[in-house]
Amino acid sequence: MSTVNPFAQGPAWHTGTLVGFDLETTGVDTTTDRVVTAAVVHVAPNGEVVRSREWLVDAGVRIPDAASAVHGVSTDRVRAHGMPSGLAIPEIIGELERAWCAGLPVVIFNAPYDLTLLDAEAVRSGVPRLSTRPWWPSAWVVDPLVIDRGMDRYRKGKRTLGATAEHYRVDARDAHSALGDAVAAATLARAIAAEHDLLRTADALTLHSAQVVWHHDWAVHLQAHLRSKGKSEAVIDRAWPLRVPVVGRHRAPETEAPPARVGRHRVPEPTAGEQARVTRAA
């Protein structure tokens, strides 16, 4: 049996700067809700934040009281001090683009939420979607939620950013602020790597590809479980790190026939065994 670690293909993903990214929004629907605040932070290996950018965004809509209660940002505040979303969204994407083009991994806790919502906002702002940009195939994403599920699948309890950070003994300050959560996500990613030899030696490409499979496996099993409990129409999106973008009730422009695979981000097709499990569960 070979003793070569298949994850150790190049420089370990966590040994250089990590870029944390987070959004605070008007709600949890990636198709209709809007960005309220955003943060992109560069975190050095010693934990020091060496660069950060924040945005307060005015999408021209009222922020529900329930959302304001979580992140502390009111409608009056964004109307008085926020940047119009049509200007802020291209800036946010541009900051991520610079990180990815520099070969830096971007850490996003629950990446499909933030990236899909950002993608929908790009459509509203009249700028190209993420998956259509030339740098997207080499956009390395690190998702601590997906990694934690993949490495510790049967652990009981919540897997929110706060709960996961507590489990890995990470001090997650300023919870539910975009800046605080972006820093916490990057710090958490390194803490998870320190717990697992397999992760500690992985390069960015290998880790990214592994997360595609881990998320797919989690989604297939969760969907089968929900259907076995009587929720026959339950569908768990298997795409990671970006779902097919939808705006409102209509697909975003130029996505009527989206490609099934986009570079490394392709979603594995279910195996015959997975299909059989889902069929039985239904």
Side-chain angles (χ1 to χ4, degrees):
M1 180 181 295
S2 172
T3 59
V4 176
N5 183 347
F7 268 36
Q9 304 295 324
W13 61 273
H14 60 88
T15 55
T17 297
L18 294 180
V19 179
F21 172 57
D22 187 69
L23 299 175
E24 296 299 326
T25 62
T26 59
V28 297
D29 189 331
T30 58
T31 68
T32 59
D33 281 309
R34 310 298 298 273
V35 173
V36 175
T37 62
V40 177
V41 298
H42 291 230
V43 183
N46 65 359
E48 180 185 358
V49 175
V50 295
R51 174 181 169 84
S52 67
R53 286 201 65 187
E54 297 179 76
W55 292 264
L56 179 65
V57 183
D58 180 10
V61 301
R62 180 182 171 277
I63 301 173
D65 292 341
S68 293
V70 172
H71 50 60
V73 181
S74 67
T75 302
D76 289 343
R77 181 181 168 191
V78 297
R79 287 179 178 171
H81 306 290
M83 177 185 293
S85 58
L87 299 177
I89 298 304
E91 282 196 7
I92 297 167
I93 295 174
E95 189 71 17
L96 293 174
E97 176 181 352
R98 282 185 283 277
W100 277 318
C101 289
L104 300 176
V106 175
V107 184
I108 313 169
F109 192 89
N110 193 14
Y113 173 77
D114 292 78
L115 290 179
T116 304
L117 194 148
L118 181 65
D119 206 44
E121 288 278 47
V123 172
R124 295 186 187 98
S125 299
V127 297
R129 293 179 9 249
L130 300 179
S131 64
T132 67
R133 296 174 184 246
W135 42 261
W136 180 247
S138 58
W140 316 130
V141 175
V142 176
D143 187 337
L145 174 60
V146 170
I147 295 172
D148 182 48
R149 285 174 180 158
M151 302 305 294
D152 196 0
R153 180 174 174 179
Y154 298 107
R155 188 179 79 249
K156 294 181 179 180
K158 295 181 179 180
R159 294 189 193 248
T160 61
L161 175 57
T164 308
E166 182 178 359
H167 176 76
Y168 286 96
R169 301 174 297 282
V170 169
D171 184 10
R173 300 180 182 180
D174 300 321
H176 301 300
S177 74
L179 181 62
D181 286 353
V183 173
T187 307
L188 174 60
R190 282 204 174 94
I192 296 176
E195 294 283 336
H196 302 283
D197 290 340
L198 192 65
L199 294 178
R200 194 159 50 247
T201 56
D203 62 77
L205 171 58
T206 305
L207 180 62
H208 183 105
S209 300
Q211 290 172 96
V212 172
V213 176
W214 288 334
H215 177 79
H216 174 269
D217 184 62
W218 168 82
V220 166
H221 284 85
L222 179 57
Q223 179 174 303
H225 171 73
L226 293 174
R227 292 188 177 191
S228 72
K229 298 298 183 181
K231 299 180 180 180
S232 60
E233 297 183 357
V235 175
I236 305 300
D237 198 310
R238 301 174 185 181
W240 182 92
L242 178 65
R243 303 171 192 150
V244 175
V246 177
V247 177
R249 298 180 181 178
H250 306 283
R251 288 200 180 278
E254 79 261 9
T255 63
E256 294 183 1
R261 297 168 176 80
V262 182
R264 300 168 297 96
H265 304 280
R266 70 183 183 87
V267 179
E269 296 298 328
T271 65
E274 291 170 342
Q275 289 176 327
R277 285 197 298 272
V278 173
T279 300
R280 288 197 299 271

